[in-house]
Amino acid sequence: MPDSVLRGSHIVLGVAGGVAAYKAASLCRLFVKAGAEVEVVLTLEACEFIRPLTFTALTGFPAHTQLFGASDPVPHTRLGQSADLLVVAPTTAHLLARAAHGLADDLLSNVLLATRAPVVFALAMHTEMWEQSVVQRNLRQVRADGIKVIEPGVGELVGGDVGSGRLAEPEKIFAFCEGIFSEETEKKQACSKGSNADAGEERTSAQAATALLCRGSSEVAGDLAGRNILVTAGGTREPVDAVRFLGNRSSGKMGHVIAGEALRRGAHVTLVATCVLASLPGVEFVRVETAEEMAAAVFSRFAEMDVVVMAAAVADFRPAAPADRKLKKEAGLSRIELVPTVDILKTLGERKKTQFLVGFAAETEQVCENGAKKVRSKNLDLLVANLVGVTDSGFGTDTNRAWFCSADGSVQDLGLLLKTELSVRICDRIADGMCRR
Ligand code: CTP
């Protein structure tokens, strides 16, 4: 076999419970022949299809099946941390669903959570399962989480059916893994070149991006490592009296998923929000209610920030004189006098030095035109314009129909995306913007 980039690497091969598990033995053999050290983790269902002993014999290492009771006291962290590459072949619909939801109920699912290595899923299942919308939704989720996917091919399936769902051939999975591994190695090399380069030396944006990764933190691998990012989320509430407020329909989901994605990519994240939707360990959480409180929380932190993402729906007006008691209906209330709030983002645009500013525009019509105007008038680097007032996009939904409006006047139509996918695209833009600074 010609020399492979995988020589000397440590590969963890996961095997889930499908009939295609038999092909995992051939794949394992290809990795071993390429000079990689391979450890195999089988789910209990996989053991119904193929014996762990097969892999022990092929690799020279005992195959792993148990989270508890094995001689290794913490097998999941050792396997996850030591892997240079984690490949799951076959990945079944069940394993995909568990990975999409971050479940950790057996050794393999724990290893998936305990690794920072690139992860490859080679999928295999029956056509009906593959075509289920829930399976496709889980697939979009794991892709958004950074897992590389080898989709199943069309061919003969178990039981004599023919259709899509067949595990890719071991040679194809092997070649795909070599490709992923080469990319990672190039990134690491660019990283060390980038960090050693003279200040005046020209660098490609890829080198610059990976250099940031080195500078930011040696512990956290991510293209936003070491960056200070402030995200706002939710709709502000402007008091009318002691019990009533003027509010809006923003749920806060978009800001929360952006905060989670930035954290995953190594940033120090501050979330200034009017609601708490999820616990995000590691995120500094600042709870506010009104536009004024949000403005104070953002302005006081702005100087130390590299990036601000204003995903909150901030009220443009507030009642001029909110009553500190409950207003009684007998007293009558025909008018509420409103006064404008501070435009937080516009103020940041006027004050910004090197910060990267991202705004949102929730629009019911002329989405791109309004978005393009706001990116200019608020001096932003990026504006995410999204459609509201329809069932699958905007407030409270899991998806958004969005466009990127950039400072250079360009507009990119992103189509309908899960908010998690949109958060990945936004963080990609931020990372790219950072490496150009
Ligand atoms: N924004 C802000 N402070 C405000 C109002 C809005 O920081 N008082 C921010 C929002 O968080 C968002 C961006 O500005 O990132 C655009 O908000 P949007 O409500 O779409 O636009 P407005 O400027 O308020 O204009 P209009 O409501 O007329 O569309």
Side-chain angles (χ1 to χ4, degrees):
M1 178 181 263
D3 208 19
S4 166
V5 287
L6 298 174
R7 176 171 299 284
S9 64
H10 184 76
I11 296 177
V12 173
L13 172 61
V15 185
V19 72
Y22 76 92
K23 288 191 188 171
S26 306
L27 178 62
C28 178
R29 199 151 172 273
L30 288 172
F31 286 142
V32 172
K33 281 180 77 179
E37 191 179 71
V38 186
E39 285 193 84
V40 178
V41 180
L42 295 102
T43 65
L44 292 182
E45 295 80 12
C47 299
E48 297 288 327
F49 292 93
I50 189 163
R51 305 277 300 156
L53 187 60
T54 306
F55 295 102
T56 303
L58 287 172
T59 62
F61 293 98
H64 308 270
T65 56
Q66 301 285 342
L67 182 57
F68 303 108
S71 53
D72 196 340
V74 271
H76 62 298
T77 49
R78 187 193 60 75
L79 285 161
Q81 289 166 355
S82 63
D84 296 313
L85 183 67
L86 211 156
V87 187
V88 184
T91 300
T92 56
H94 185 217
L95 189 97
L96 178 69
R98 288 191 288 149
H101 292 87
L103 299 186
D105 55 357
D106 71 354
L107 179 58
L108 182 53
S109 52
N110 272 275
V111 175
L112 283 167
L113 290 178
T115 195
R116 288 188 179 137
V119 177
V120 175
F121 276 1
L123 290 149
M125 62 196 76
H126 228 76
T127 310
E128 290 80 0
M129 298 169 84
W130 171 242
E131 289 174 354
Q132 285 295 339
S133 58
V134 65
V135 171
Q136 293 301 317
R137 195 163 69 227
N138 289 336
L139 185 64
R140 284 197 296 276
Q141 180 61 58
V142 300
R143 277 198 164 119
D145 293 338
I147 291 176
K148 315 286 179 205
V149 173
I150 305 176
E151 293 197 5
V154 177
E156 216 175 293
L157 304 170
V158 67
D161 292 341
V162 174
S164 51
R166 194 181 153 86
L167 182 70
E169 291 310 312
E171 291 73 16
K172 184 175 166 195
I173 302 173
F174 177 82
F176 185 90
C177 292
E178 277 191 313
I180 296 291
F181 200 78
S182 298
E183 270 175 32
E184 289 298 314
T185 313
E186 271 167 32
K187 274 191 207 161
K188 280 186 196 147
Q189 281 168 353
C191 177
S192 57
K193 267 193 212 150
S195 56
N196 292 336
D198 290 337
E201 193 178 315
E202 285 252 323
R203 286 185 284 164
T204 66
S205 62
Q207 283 172 334
T210 43
L212 285 177
L213 188 156
C214 297
R215 244 191 293 142
S217 161
S218 56
E219 266 178 29
V220 188
D223 52 8
L224 296 176
R227 296 293 173 186
N228 291 325
I229 299 192
L230 187 148
V231 183
T232 64
T236 60
R237 294 175 163 197
E238 308 302 328
V240 173
D241 67 12
V243 295
R244 302 176 180 93
F245 61 83
L246 297 181
N248 59 65
R249 294 181 195 280
S250 170
S251 64
K253 270 186 198 169
M254 195 65 239
H256 276 72
V257 290
I258 295 168
E261 176 62 16
L263 183 74
R264 199 180 66 77
R265 294 161 82 139
H268 304 299
V269 183
T270 305
L271 182 59
V272 178
T274 59
C275 53
V276 187
L277 298 183
S279 91
L280 291 168
V283 169
E284 190 206 345
F285 193 85
V286 184
R287 182 80 189 258
V288 295
E289 189 166 289
T290 63
E292 198 180 342
E293 287 170 7
M294 185 170 279
V298 173
F299 293 158
S300 65
R301 290 167 176 81
F302 187 51
E304 74 229 29
M305 291 298 149
D306 298 303
V307 180
V308 174
V309 182
M310 284 291 302
V314 187
D316 291 326
F317 296 94
R318 64 174 176 82
D324 54 7
R325 289 177 302 145
K326 185 182 177 195
L327 296 173
K328 301 307 289 177
K329 60 174 172 278
E330 295 82 45
L333 180 67
S334 55
R335 304 170 61 122
I336 301 174
E337 194 197 336
L338 299 176
V339 290
T341 56
V342 59
D343 188 325
I344 305 171
L345 193 52
K346 193 164 194 295
T347 311
L348 297 183
E350 286 157 6
R351 292 183 190 171
K352 85 170 175 185
K353 295 199 165 74
T354 56
Q355 288 95 340
F356 191 91
L357 287 187
V358 183
F360 272 74
E363 306 286 350
T364 53
E365 58 200 342
Q366 295 186 305
V367 184
C368 299
E369 292 79 355
N370 288 331
K373 263 186 225 156
K374 285 177 191 174
V375 81
R376 281 195 306 275
S377 66
K378 301 198 186 204
N379 191 23
L380 309 180
D381 297 282
L382 177 68
L383 184 122
V384 185
N386 66 295
L387 188 63
V388 293
V390 293
T391 50
D392 57 358
S393 179
F395 301 128
T397 62
D398 286 333
T399 47
N400 248 346
R401 176 91 178 82
W403 291 260
F404 277 163
C405 304
S406 302
D408 63 9
S410 62
V411 175
Q412 185 187 357
D413 184 350
L414 300 168
L416 185 70
L417 291 174
L418 280 171
K419 285 183 176 171
T420 46
E421 287 171 323
L422 181 56
S423 72
V424 172
R425 305 285 282 272
I426 292 168
C427 286
D428 285 347
R429 279 295 192 102
I430 293 172
D432 190 48
M434 289 280 89
C435 79
R436 289 170 203 282
R437 275 176 156 60

